[in-house]
Amino acid sequence: MGKKSQRKNAPKDLFDSDDDTSSVSSSSTMRSERPGMDEVQVHKDVMLDQSLDALYEKRSSTREQALASIIDAFNNDLQHEFVEKKFATLLHQCLHCTKKGSSKETSLASHVIGLLALTVGLGDQAQEILEESVTPLSQALKSGREVLKITSIIECLAVITFVGGTNEEQTEKSMQIIWQMIHPKLGSNVVATKPSPAVITTVVSSWAFLLTTVDRWTLGPKIWQEIVTYLSSLLEKDDRSVRIAAGEALAIIFELGTLEKFSAEAKGSVNGSVKEGSVSQEALINMHGLKSKVTNQVRDLSAEAGGKGSAKKDLNTQRNMFRDLVEFLEHGYAPETSTKVGGDSLQTSTWYQMIQLNFLKHFLGGGFIKHMQENEFLHDVFSFTPKKSGSSMSRDEKRLFKSPNSALNKARTQFLNTQRMLAKNMNVGHYAATVENE
């Protein structure tokens, strides 16, 4: 990370800085002088460098505008070249913004960190993002109660753990930090305050998103019962988004097959092969009773006529989701979905795939299509191979294949002209033959 005395100020016309000595960063100027480079791309690269420089500014509104500009750039393109050069600087400046910035600045900086993790994909840089960010993000969660700040940090923590978590201990640590925002530990220093529906929804969704990555869930039967009981209580809440998030989390828990695992342990204890921490028959009966209760709740929500919540679209979403969950709980069939990505379709056939897709689609927002088309990390996550399209071609490929003056288009034009001439001659010949026959 560059020292403050060495930073370059952002131009006044871009970030409204009070510093009259602002200038374009030298790296951008050098890059713009490279021959043959597309002017639009050079402009975008210059904007990114200026935005990064602006994160050193004292004025909070300037930093907020710079962060918003970086988010826009990372949504519109995968900024591999920029990240390769400015990875550490961008990460540490964003973390600095989460420590001292406003709620809005913290929210924007958190989102940039999540986008940075998705851009670099699996590897040492993603692990570095997670290791460097967990502590400051956790501290930032405790420093304020603004909904925007809390939800953004939680989503960021979920994304960077999803990409950079290399073992279950790291994932479970992040899940614990997230869960404590709505279910603080007894005796902890966390002040017990009633979380808003938006915070509950984000916590449950982010927790469930990370649960999809845990192959061997290590939580014991007691904690399992506590979590399922709590999620079951959320199904009774008035806020529809809370109910939907709770339903999806329950779907993942049951799809993991944890209850079946506990049943096998209980059967083993009956047969004499008792293991430490194994499930008693009484506990197992209670757990199956809890599943039956959840199934009845879900069935009621799948047929809800309205009244709780307001938006009709949300009501339909709830009905469809809980109908799928009833089908899964009673018959074991997970829902199948198809999402349009350009000219392709992204298919899911499990709860964990669907929840991963929905979460990342929400996080990426307007950048979802671009990332699904070009982000290799997401291709690996969803086993998705998009077709080559004009929008995903490099500039050189577009010049080669899409330009009117390209060899391919010239050959296509020549072929079409030949076809037209042949058709014209055939029509003339047909007309002449018809006249002659008459």
Side-chain angles (χ1 to χ4, degrees):
M1 181 173 65
K3 294 181 180 178
K4 189 173 183 180
S5 60
Q6 296 176 328
R7 70 172 175 80
K8 308 170 190 68
N9 295 315
K12 289 181 71 174
D13 59 344
L14 181 60
F15 294 113
D16 192 28
S17 171
D18 289 334
D19 194 335
D20 293 329
T21 62
S22 301
S23 62
V24 178
S25 63
S26 60
S27 61
S28 304
T29 305
M30 291 175 61
R31 190 159 61 245
S32 66
E33 292 173 352
R34 294 177 190 171
M37 202 170 195
D38 185 85
E39 291 183 4
V40 175
Q41 185 61 38
V42 171
H43 176 66
K44 291 179 179 178
D45 293 343
V46 171
M47 291 277 286
L48 261 176
D49 281 326
Q50 291 174 354
S51 299
L52 181 57
D53 289 341
L55 296 183
Y56 291 95
E57 293 289 341
K58 291 183 178 179
R59 184 184 291 183
S60 178
S61 60
T62 301
R63 298 193 302 271
E64 290 171 6
Q65 187 177 355
L67 289 165
S69 179
I70 293 171
I71 290 172
D72 190 52
F74 273 69
N75 276 341
N76 291 331
D77 270 306
L78 270 73
Q79 305 293 340
H80 292 301
E81 184 178 346
F82 176 78
V83 168
E84 184 178 348
K85 297 176 180 178
K86 305 293 178 68
F87 167 79
T89 305
L90 179 59
L91 173 61
H92 290 103
Q93 279 307 113
C94 286
L95 288 174
H96 188 61
C97 289
T98 65
K99 293 177 183 178
K100 70 172 186 176
S102 64
S103 177
K104 180 179 179 181
E105 184 178 344
T106 300
S107 171
L108 292 168
S110 298
H111 201 77
V112 172
I113 294 171
L115 288 172
L116 181 61
L118 288 172
T119 300
V120 300
L122 297 177
D124 293 340
Q125 288 183 319
Q127 293 174 34
E128 181 180 346
I129 292 172
L130 178 60
E131 291 168 1
E132 294 286 330
S133 303
V134 168
T135 298
L137 289 179
S138 179
Q139 291 172 346
L141 279 174
K142 300 173 183 176
S143 66
R145 290 295 162 193
E146 301 92 341
V147 171
L148 177 64
K149 178 179 179 178
I150 293 173
T151 55
S152 299
I153 292 175
I154 289 172
E155 288 179 352
C156 170
L157 183 57
V159 169
I160 64 175
T161 304
F162 183 80
V163 183
T166 57
N167 55 63
E168 290 186 1
E169 287 74 21
Q170 288 178 315
T171 301
E172 289 176 7
K173 179 181 178 181
S174 293
M175 290 173 70
Q176 187 178 38
I177 293 171
I178 291 170
W179 191 257
Q180 286 178 9
M181 292 308 300
I182 57 174
H183 220 267
K185 282 184 176 180
L186 294 176
S188 70
N189 294 325
V190 179
V191 179
T193 57
K194 185 178 180 180
S196 69
V199 169
I200 295 174
T201 299
T202 301
V203 165
V204 174
S205 296
S206 300
W207 184 86
F209 174 64
L210 289 181
L211 186 59
T212 64
T213 68
V214 180
D215 294 328
R216 179 181 51 82
W217 203 26
T218 56
L219 296 182
K222 182 180 178 181
I223 298 178
W224 185 95
Q225 288 185 77
E226 290 177 358
I227 290 175
V228 174
T229 299
Y230 177 70
L231 292 173
S232 172
S233 74
L234 294 184
L235 296 178
E236 306 291 339
K237 297 295 183 181
D238 289 338
D239 190 274
R240 192 163 283 138
S241 63
V242 170
R243 300 200 296 269
I244 291 173
E248 291 182 342
L250 286 164
I252 286 294
I253 290 173
F254 288 116
E255 188 174 60
L256 279 171
T258 317
L259 187 54
E260 286 74 16
K261 171 191 166 188
F262 293 152
S263 297
E265 290 178 358
K267 184 177 180 181
S269 66
V270 170
N271 295 334
S273 56
V274 182
K275 295 181 180 179
E276 184 179 351
S278 61
V279 188
S280 67
Q281 285 294 320
E282 183 181 358
L284 187 63
I285 291 172
N286 292 335
M287 293 164 76
H288 278 286
L290 191 52
K291 181 180 180 181
S292 297
K293 177 186 175 182
V294 167
T295 303
N296 290 330
Q297 288 176 299
V298 167
R299 188 181 296 107
D300 290 341
L301 289 169
S302 70
E304 185 186 18
K308 290 184 179 180
S310 55
K312 184 177 180 181
K313 181 180 178 182
D314 290 341
L315 176 60
N316 291 334
T317 300
Q318 174 186 289
R319 285 172 176 166
N320 293 335
M321 197 281 287
F322 285 113
R323 283 170 187 162
D324 289 337
L325 188 48
V326 170
E327 181 76 6
F328 177 72
L329 292 174
E330 293 185 341
H331 307 291
Y333 300 120
E336 296 182 357
T337 69
S338 179
T339 303
K340 293 291 290 182
V341 178
D344 299 291
S345 293
L346 173 56
Q347 313 287 338
T348 68
S349 57
T350 62
W351 281 105
Y352 86 85
Q353 288 175 329
M354 186 179 76
I355 288 169
Q356 287 177 352
L357 179 61
N358 288 342
F359 189 93
L360 291 169
K361 189 176 181 179
H362 162 76
F363 183 82
L364 287 167
F368 171 72
I369 297 297
K370 185 69 174 180
H371 275 261
M372 279 310 313
Q373 288 177 327
E374 298 186 12
N375 192 316
E376 292 183 3
F377 169 72
L378 296 183
H379 295 170
D380 292 339
V381 168
F382 296 106
S383 301
F384 176 66
T385 306
K387 299 172 185 175
K388 196 73 170 178
S389 64
S391 60
S392 61
M393 289 182 179
S394 67
R395 289 193 300 275
D396 291 338
E397 287 175 322
K398 287 179 180 178
R399 290 192 187 102
L400 182 62
F401 297 110
K402 306 293 283 186
S403 168
N405 295 322
S406 70
L408 181 63
N409 273 306
K410 286 179 179 178
R412 184 184 294 114
T413 300
Q414 185 177 0
F415 173 75
L416 291 173
N417 288 337
T418 302
Q419 291 292 97
R420 292 190 190 99
M421 288 297 296
L422 288 172
K424 183 177 180 181
N425 290 337
M426 287 178 65
N427 288 336
V428 170
H430 174 73
Y431 175 77
T434 302
V435 171
E436 189 175 51
N437 289 336
E438 289 178 349

